[in-house]
Amino acid sequence: MGLLETIKSPADLKALPATSMAPLAEEIRTFLVESVSRTGGHLGPNLGVVELTIALHRVFDSPRDTIVFDTGHQSYVHKLLTGRHDFSKLKKQGGLSGYPSRAESPHDVVENSHASTALSWADGIAKARRLKGERGRHTVAVIGDGALTGGMAWEAINNIAADKDLPLTIIVNDNERSYAPTIGGLAEHLATLRTTRGYERFLDWGKNTLHRTPVVGGAMYETLHGMKKGIKDIVAPQGMFEDLGLKYLGPVDGHDEAALESALRRARAFGGPVLVHVITQKGRGYQPAINDDADQFHSVGKINPETGLPFEVSGRIWTDEFNDEMVALGAERPDLVALTAAMLIPVGLDGFAAAYPDRVFDVGIAEQHAVTMASGLAFAGLHPVVAVYATFLNRAFDQLLMDAALHHAGITFVLDRAGITGSDGPSHNGMWDMAIASIVPGLRLAAPRDGQQVRLQLREAVEVGDAPTVIRFPKGDVGAPVPALRQQGSLDVLHETSRDGCDLLVVGVGAFAALSVDVAGKLEAQGLRVTAVDPRWVLPVSDGLVELARSAGAVAVVEDNLVTSGVGTAVTVALREAGVEVPVHLHGIPKAFLDHASRGQILDELGLTADAVATSLATHLH
């Protein structure tokens, strides 16, 4: 039996001798490579935190002590050390979540995989424990250098540092990356700390040399040590953290388990907030990950564990269409610039960045800053394209509303991974973006139905200079083009039994346009006259859609957004305001957080398939 198999809880880990830690770390890395290569998942980040997580659970007493992981994709080792060894269905329906999950274990605290939140969580937990008199309980926040680029993290640090006896340990897992290499002033500061050992060498020289000097040597060393802060500022500027009021320990080798334990025990015993700066290597111990310049295997699909190569070559995805069209537009429009929040490659801006490096701004994990900065760029005469995952638009709603829309800023927002994404769980489903956008005055939102429409509607969007525009599309492979029979105003008619009115008008939003055609065909086979349309620009609701609805017996809207406040709701309101009194049937995502599963499984459960929608509508129409 291997060491890992004997660990059912952190108590089992603590019982092992220190000499077992290196072989245990090797076992864990082997397990991760073998398991994640079969299921897909976040491999690189977890290979980098093996020794750190071991040390955490040997020094602290989870769950009595609370460990909060920022962007919990680095929690696989934590799952193993808390007894969860079955990774066979990782991120699959009924299996382990890819992030911490309270439903799985009392050792898990924060399920949200949005970055830069851990310090605020930890601040609240630590202060609550103190108020309740639970001074023996410690709180630990593990945050990456990438997540430290988020403004919310610094709002928390500002408060934590002012509380001198708060039993809180902040571990900065510094691997120089979030998804991609970390950028910005903080990254440069951490790089200086990472590479500067001058302060320690200077004090060691002083101690060894001056203590050998008779009479004055000791006094000189004490004076030298009293100059500690000034010397630090010159040769190792960790003073930034200490000036804020945080005790700083480090840098510590994140792959030296004994050194990590020593530093964490000192932090635990300090009695106030401490920042432990840990240097780790993403993808540690797995050469294919280390050799991957793009993201060190941040997230992989099913791969050959021997080579790191995927078993299947993925097809062309929606993001590729955006990527290529941005490059083409960049050549035509010198005023076009692009912004993203630490997601340059995943959102498809790497092509634009390669072609026009001076016109791309990766602001780190700082969506709020990205949107307001884009508003400034627009004011100064450029057209910014802000590309983020749909779920992360939530984080910048105030800036979208008050900085972009209020000021009529010509900004195009491109939302990748819109709708149901599935395996990454509730925090990553892009199911709120159209609900958010629907209440922003002046905003126009397009939902392309295929790759051709991504290109066309992106071009249409960047021509709008007096209001925000949004283009949103889903995760995964882009299907074959969905042809239009004809255009009616701004609408594309995709299926039509007759031009002389219909029993049902089916409005397919974005990727659900193809589904709407299937639904129309199924209902037509039952003797109904059905028209299926793609509005293309779905918000605000077009006059053309309202007019078409006048000659319909009923309207159905199918969308991958909250059913209570999305396009269907907007269509219902628009029809009522125009005096069009026809039934409107809404098909979308319920107001609920959805467990991880495949996109297909979730859509099936929600009844968002052609068969389920057609059956539901048939019961209302016959």
Side-chain angles (χ1 to χ4, degrees), residues 422-474:
S423 61
D424 278 328
S427 64
H428 267 52
N429 288 316
M431 52 191 269
W432 293 280
D433 57 288
M434 290 196 287
I436 287 171
S438 69
I439 63 172
V440 176
L443 181 145
R444 305 169 216 184
L445 186 145
R449 65 179 182 267
D450 56 32
Q452 290 180 357
Q453 290 297 316
V454 169
R455 293 170 176 263
L456 287 171
Q457 294 188 268
L458 177 63
R459 286 183 170 271
E460 293 168 19
V462 298
E463 291 298 323
V464 177
D466 61 352
T469 53
V470 177
I471 308 288
R472 53 105 69 183
F473 47 78

Side-chain angles (χ1 to χ4, degrees), residues 8-25:
K8 306 302 181 187
S9 73
D12 297 326
L13 176 67
K14 293 175 190 284
L16 292 174
T19 53
S20 295
M21 295 306 101
L24 174 62

Side-chain angles (χ1 to χ4, degrees), residues 486-493 496 544-545 547-548:
R486 63 184 180 88
Q487 283 73 44
Q488 180 162 327
S490 62
L491 308 176
D492 280 353
V493 178
E496 193 170 48
L545 182 59
E547 290 307 308
L548 198 58

